[in-house]
Amino acid sequence: MSRNADDLARLIRSRAGDAPVRVGLVLGSGLGHLADAVEGTAIPYGDLPGFPHAGVSGHNPNLVIGDLEGVRVAVFGGRAHYYESGRGDAMRLPLEVLRALGAEALILTNAAGSMQPDIPPGELMLLSDHINFSGLNPLIGEATDDRFVPMKDAYDPAMRAALQRAAEAEGIPLQQGVYAWYSGPSFETPAEIRAIRTLGADAVGMSTVPEVILARFLGLKVAAISTVTNMAAGMSDEAISHEHTKAMAPLGAAKLERILRRYLRGA
């Protein structure tokens, strides 16, 4: 854990209280309203040196510490993406801070393009595994042997099972699938989508995988859910754009909030 992370954790505790955080939640495009459901303290990223700036529209750059369904959570209203800076480890400090605040688990959300006709826009997909299609890694340059992180069961089986039960209890379909990380910021070509599908991916997006690798490096258990906002390039006639992503994300966000609330009630 870096000294900066410990210093920032102390600053956050001075504003939000000393009670340890149990679960961290990173919100993807169009999902920022979930932070409003937390009863607690919102701290702008600008007050936390080293945290990501508001680089992507559709993100709400605040860290919210408080209670959600009786569980102490830390909600990140936005993330730093590789495509903003060329740094795969852009979320390392925020996740180090999360660990310093006491969290043991992290739930990531994202907006993704589907490559499966039975997971259309508006549906959710629970990540069972990922493919690092970009070939980049946020631990490049890490000097210790801790960089050799095992990634089997990177998406914690117990957390996945609990999220699946929460979805079933809410009557919400939640299929599991493999997510492929594409670096962005341009969208994928139809040929790239055909290649990614051949490799075994079910959805594609521009985030999440770096945070999963970093979280496992830090000893956090991880789960992740994609909100499908579009069919991937070449899978339909719809025009893909970031504005389209932001417009479609709320279709799945309400269902995602219900699943997360039910999950936390049982945590």
Side-chain angles (χ1 to χ4, degrees):
M1 201 72 63
S2 70
R3 181 177 176 182
N4 283 348
D6 289 333
D7 290 343
L8 286 173
R10 281 192 290 272
L11 171 61
I12 292 165
R13 284 193 290 266
S14 73
R15 295 196 188 186
D18 291 331
V21 167
R22 288 183 57 197
V23 178
L25 179 63
V26 176
L27 303 181
S29 296
L31 301 172
H33 78 282
L34 289 174
D36 297 334
V38 178
E39 298 177 8
T41 302
I43 304 174
Y45 283 175
D47 293 352
L48 302 170
F51 267 54
H53 58 83
V56 183
S57 61
H59 287 216
N60 186 11
N62 291 307
L63 174 64
V64 182
I65 307 290
D67 293 331
L68 185 61
E69 298 295 341
V71 176
R72 180 82 161 172
V73 298
V75 179
F76 296 83
R79 54 161 56 90
H81 300 76
Y82 169 80
Y83 62 72
E84 295 175 70
S85 65
R87 288 182 50 222
D89 66 345
M91 284 296 289
R92 178 164 176 163
L93 180 60
L95 294 182
E96 286 182 338
V97 170
L98 176 66
R99 194 72 181 88
L101 291 171
E104 297 180 350
L106 172 68
I107 299 175
L108 299 154
T109 70
N110 63 56
S114 174
M115 292 177 278
Q116 296 297 337
D118 60 346
I119 311 179
E123 297 300 307
L124 304 173
M125 188 185 84
L126 179 64
L127 275 61
S128 59
D129 206 341
H130 72 236
I131 296 171
N132 188 347
F133 189 71
S134 73
L136 303 163
N137 196 294
L139 297 178
I140 291 173
E142 167 63 30
T144 71
D145 283 350
D146 292 339
R147 61 190 165 182
F148 301 112
V149 179
M151 295 299 290
K152 183 178 183 295
D153 289 332
Y155 298 85
D156 187 74
M159 292 181 69
R160 283 164 46 202
L163 285 163
Q164 195 77 60
R165 288 192 299 271
E168 291 171 1
E170 291 292 326
I172 297 172
L174 182 61
Q175 297 195 61
Q176 297 198 35
V178 176
Y179 175 93
W181 176 35
Y182 185 81
S183 69
S186 59
F187 285 98
E188 309 80 27
T189 68
E192 287 166 338
I193 292 301
R194 290 194 298 271
I196 296 170
R197 289 187 75 193
T198 301
L199 291 173
D202 301 293
V204 63
M206 302 177 190
S207 67
T208 301
V209 170
E211 296 108 280
V212 173
I213 296 171
L214 287 165
R216 296 303 302 133
F217 170 74
L218 295 168
L220 291 162
K221 294 185 293 185
V222 181
I225 299 178
S226 293
T227 296
V228 174
T229 55
N230 57 274
M231 299 306 293
M235 297 288 297
S236 76
D237 294 330
E238 66 183 317
I240 302 173
S241 68
H242 186 59
E243 291 303 317
H244 178 80
T245 296
K246 290 191 295 181
M248 295 299 291
L251 293 180
K255 292 185 287 187
L256 179 55
E257 180 174 348
R258 286 167 54 197
I259 291 172
L260 292 174
R261 284 181 175 275
R262 174 76 70 154
Y263 169 83
L264 290 172
R265 287 200 295 272

